[in-house]
């Protein structure tokens, strides 16, 4: 019988951008004080560094709870390491 192998994944924080319809006012920006909030023409983008998938889904749940209409969500590519 072989011993169980423990897989150790190095969890790296990742940065995501999530864009929704509408321009966030002060109250909505305060809901996401842990994110960079970028207000554009008719849209708002949240830029957040999350430590893991659980934190990402927590952010998504906050957005859903506020009934925001998400139009884009993507992982921001990390610059190549030299």
């Amino acid at each position: 019988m072989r011993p169980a192998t423990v897989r150790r994944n190095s969890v790296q924080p990742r940065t995501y951008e999530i864009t929704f319809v509408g321009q966030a006012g002060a109250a909505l920006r305060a809901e996401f004080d842990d994110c960079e909030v970028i207000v554009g023409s008719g849209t708002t983008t949240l830029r957040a560094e999350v430590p893991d998938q659980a934190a990402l889904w927590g952010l998504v749940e906050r957005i859903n709870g506020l009934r925001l209409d998400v139009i884009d969500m993507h992982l921001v590519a990390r610059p190549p390491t030299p």
Side-chain angles (χ1 to χ4, degrees), residues 26-75:
L28 190 57
R29 285 194 305 267
E31 291 288 327
F32 298 103
D33 61 352
D34 56 337
C35 302
E36 179 182 354
V37 180
I38 305 156
V39 179
S41 178
T43 63
T44 299
T45 299
L46 303 176
R47 184 179 180 105
E49 184 174 295
V50 295
D52 55 29
Q53 287 262 316
L56 174 61
W57 288 113
L59 179 58
V60 169
E61 287 299 318
R62 286 168 44 201
I63 292 167
N64 283 337
L66 293 167
R67 299 180 187 255
L68 301 172
D69 186 12
V70 174
I71 56 175
D72 183 56
M73 179 173 140
H74 66 271
L75 175 65

Side-chain angles (χ1 to χ4, degrees), residues 12 78-82:
Q12 299 283 328
R78 285 187 245 177
T81 54

